[in-house]
Structure formats: structure tokens, C-alpha cells
Amino acid sequence: MNKKIYSLLLALLAFSGLMSSCSSNEDIVFDHERQQFETRADRILLEFIAPFGTTASEEIYITGAFNGEDEAIGNPQYLLTKAPDSNVKWGIYLDPSTFVAGKSLADGFCFYSSTQGKELTVAGEGAVHTDNPGVGTFTNIWGQRWESYYWSGGEAPEPTHDGFCVYVDDQTGWDALTLYMWGDVNNLNGDWPGMQVTGTWNHDGVTWKYFDLGEANTGLVENLIFNNGGNGEQLADFNFTIDRNIYLRITTSGVEEIGAAPKVVHDGYAVFVYDETGWDTLTLYMWGDTNNLNGDWPGMSVTGEQTINGVTYKYFDMGEANTGLGENLIFSNAGSNQLSDYGYTIDHDVYLHITTSGVEEIDPTTFQP
């Protein structure tokens, strides 16, 4: 008998023995299924086991007939909290007395990620949960896939808008952002402090907040006043004719019109590098599941450069065909000097800060040199 098959049979027999030795009244509970939040007598506790690829900084909302479906997105009341001791669980407490129109969780609910879109099934259809636990209970809810699994290049398509829109790269740090307008029509889309953000779009490393201005308002000349929900902070008027989509970067100092960065299409996943080595040349050699991947020593040259959240990175495209390989990355200045190996599985984009002292993984949403 083949040794590998024989060893597998022994392992299966041992496992089945372990299972049979368990009491019939016991259930095996895996770490990711264990309760992470305290049960509350006056609330329903749901703990969401998030799909693979969910990051710790994710904003996840629960939506359903009980809270107005997509109207719940952006409402802090329906924002889940990441479990402090688990990288796969997010929790939320729900009060049935706040549910609308006599609806309950049994009428269907699902989850939404602000960066990865709607929750889907493995078949690519909209996920619908109908668990209907009572107050004072704890329930695990399993997620399957995010909508981003099916996005081309890992990026959501541009949203469909009602007329033209204002895209905003919001660097104010305000807790809330609203847009008031006056001009050809005063109080357009709302009295002071104005309209709320319509939605967000993650495009080429920037999370754009956007305001749909309405098809019927095309051609109007308006003055835009961005403010923090009417709580004492506002920017100077920005004059705009509603005849195109506009891209703005706002800080507490003012408003600047910018162009939307063109989408960079990568070949598979990419290694993004903020390079502070001071080397004249940067190359990347890889060995592991496949040695000399993408080139013999000293390896491949930089594929290109891309600016994300104001930081310019060099990047190396890994190649779609190489997805899933486990590789060791060696950065060098064309072979003369090199850094220590950095282990990486090609199943996600990775962002690295390199100096002559070594390699450090960074979060592009917060990193500033």
C-alpha cells in the first residue's frame, strides 16, 4: 500500500476514535465559534464569523427588513464591533423594540462591508439569514463571501448615480460630513447643514465619499459648503456648475479640486513597497513553492509606481497564474546588497515599508512616511 494513503488511513482511524470517545451530549466548539461578547438580558447578541479576506479595519453593517435594508448602511446603530480577541468575529447587540414596521430578523438580514460590498453566498447570490433568536441570547452567524470576490481587479465598479455627483477625499477628520448648497436654488437637497453622504466608493486606494446631486438639478450653479453636520465647523464656499462629476480633496484648511486617479490594472496580486533604502535600483527575487519566480537572481524589476492615500509606492505584479504560491521575498539593489527573506503567500495585495534594516508590513489606510 502507498505509504501516504496508509498514513492517511491511520490518521482517520485515530480521529474517528477520538470522536467516538466524546460524550454524545458534547459538541466540539472551534475557537472561531466561541462567544466573544457578553450576553445582555435586554438585547439580542449576534456574532458574525466574517468571510475570508476580512481585514481588522473593516466597517461591517447589518441590514434587513427590520432596519430599512440599505438605509442602515452608515448608521452607527447597525455597525458591528470587531471582537478584541478574535480576527474573524464581529458582534452587534440588537434591540427588537427599535425594529421597523413590525419586522423581525426572521424576515431576512445580511451583512455589508464598506470596502468589500454585500455579503454573498458561494454561488454568488445575495446572502439571506433568517435566524430569529430571542432577547438575552447569543447566536453565531456564518458569512460566506464578500461581493469583492467577484470584482474585476479586486475593486468595486463605480456606483450608479442619480445625476452628477461630488466625490470627496475627506481628510478633515470630522465625525460627520454634510454638504449644504445655495445659488441658483438655495437649500438644494436640504436645509442647513445640508445633505448627508450618499455612499462611498473605494477606488485605487482612496475611499471616496460621494454626494449624488440629482438628475433634475443638472445645469444649476451652486456654492458648496462642506461642514461637520452643523456642529461648528465649515469650509469656505466652493462654486460648482452641476454639469459633470467632480473630485475634491477637503481638509480643515479648505477645498481642492483634483482629478480622479486612473485605475491601475494589476496582473494578479501585487507587492507594494514604500522604499527608503536609498538604493539606486530595487529588484525582487523570490523562492519557495517555485524558485526563481518571475526571474533568476537578482529577480524582477519594479513593475511601476502607484500613489495611494497620498503615498507613492513602487509595486511588483506577481502574475495571475502565481496566485496561491508561498514565496520568500528578497529585496536587493540588483544583487549588491539584500534584505532578509520576507515570507508571503500570493493571495492578497501586501504593503511593505523597506529600509536597509529590513522589511515591515504596513496598513496603507493609515501609513504616512
Side-chain angles (χ1 to χ4, degrees):
M1 179 183 290
N2 182 288
K3 287 185 177 180
K4 290 184 178 179
I5 296 176
Y6 180 67
S7 298
L8 178 60
L9 286 173
L10 287 177
L12 289 171
L13 287 170
F15 182 70
S16 63
L18 173 65
M19 293 295 289
S20 64
S21 69
C22 294
S23 166
S24 60
N25 295 323
E26 292 179 354
D27 291 322
I28 296 176
V29 179
F30 296 99
D31 284 344
H32 57 277
E33 296 177 302
R34 297 184 187 281
Q35 185 171 344
Q36 298 293 322
F37 297 86
E38 294 291 331
T39 304
R40 289 179 51 178
D42 61 341
R43 294 290 187 271
I44 298 168
L45 170 59
L46 300 182
E47 292 191 0
F48 180 53
I49 302 172
F52 177 78
T54 306
T55 64
S57 60
E58 212 90 37
E59 287 188 359
I60 301 174
Y61 295 88
I62 185 171
T63 70
F66 76 96
N67 66 356
E69 302 288 355
D70 288 352
E71 293 179 7
I73 297 172
N75 186 336
Q77 180 180 352
Y78 301 113
L79 176 66
L80 277 66
T81 301
K82 182 185 176 300
D85 298 322
S86 172
N87 290 325
V88 298
K89 277 199 134 182
W90 274 252
I92 188 167
Y93 293 104
L94 297 174
D95 179 0
S97 69
T98 66
F99 292 178
V100 300
K103 300 294 184 181
S104 72
L105 294 177
D107 292 298
F109 64 94
C110 65
F111 297 88
Y112 174 88
S113 162
S114 61
T115 57
Q116 300 198 62
K118 297 178 181 179
E119 180 197 1
L120 302 180
T121 68
V122 292
E125 301 169 344
V128 179
H129 305 281
T130 55
D131 303 72
N132 192 28
V135 169
T137 63
F138 150 69
T139 303
N140 275 323
I141 306 294
W142 286 80
Q144 298 181 47
R145 283 181 179 165
W146 291 124
E147 188 179 0
S148 61
Y149 182 88
Y150 299 96
W151 291 342
S152 175
E155 182 175 291
E158 183 170 5
T160 300
H161 297 291
D162 178 11
F164 293 110
C165 79
V166 176
Y167 280 110
V168 178
D169 177 9
D170 180 11
Q171 301 294 324
T172 61
W174 293 338
D175 292 333
L177 179 66
T178 47
L179 172 59
Y180 176 76
M181 290 176 280
W182 67 274
D184 285 348
V185 175
N186 294 332
N187 301 329
L188 184 67
N189 293 344
D191 295 338
W192 180 262
M195 65 185 300
Q196 296 183 338
V197 171
T198 307
T200 60
W201 180 40
N202 291 279
H203 174 61
D204 210 23
V206 177
T207 299
W208 297 94
K209 298 176 181 178
Y210 63 86
F211 299 85
D212 283 358
L213 300 186
E215 183 69 36
N217 297 321
T218 298
L220 295 178
V221 178
E222 294 292 315
N223 295 283
L224 315 183
I225 303 180
F226 295 99
N227 65 88
N228 66 337
N231 291 310
E233 298 284 346
Q234 68 182 68
L235 303 180
D237 298 14
F238 184 88
N239 186 262
F240 173 54
T241 300
I242 306 174
D243 58 5
R244 69 193 192 282
N245 290 342
I246 190 172
Y247 297 81
L248 305 175
R249 178 177 294 121
I250 66 172
T251 67
T252 53
S253 300
V255 183
E256 173 192 10
E257 183 172 357
I258 56 178
K263 177 173 171 57
V264 177
V265 179
H266 294 282
D267 180 9
Y269 292 107
V271 174
F272 292 86
V273 178
Y274 184 72
D275 179 12
E276 286 194 304
T277 59
W279 294 338
D280 293 333
T281 304
L282 181 65
T283 52
L284 172 59
Y285 176 75
M286 289 177 281
W287 67 273
D289 286 346
T290 299
N291 294 332
N292 302 326
L293 184 67
N294 293 346
D296 296 336
W297 179 261
M300 66 187 298
S301 299
V302 171
T303 307
E305 293 189 350
Q306 186 174 348
T307 299
I308 299 172
N309 284 340
V311 179
T312 300
Y313 297 87
K314 299 174 182 177
Y315 65 85
F316 300 84
D317 282 355
M318 297 288 98
E320 184 69 35
N322 298 321
T323 298
L325 294 179
E327 295 294 317
N328 296 283
L329 313 182
I330 303 179
F331 296 98
S332 75
N333 64 336
S336 299
N337 293 291
Q338 68 184 67
L339 305 181
S340 298
D341 299 14
Y342 184 85
Y344 167 56
T345 299
I346 306 174
D347 58 6
H348 64 290
D349 292 333
V350 67
Y351 294 80
L352 305 173
H353 178 202
I354 67 171
T355 66
T356 52
S357 299
V359 183
E360 174 191 13
E361 185 169 355
I362 55 177
D363 181 348
T365 64
T366 58
F367 175 74
Q368 289 297 322

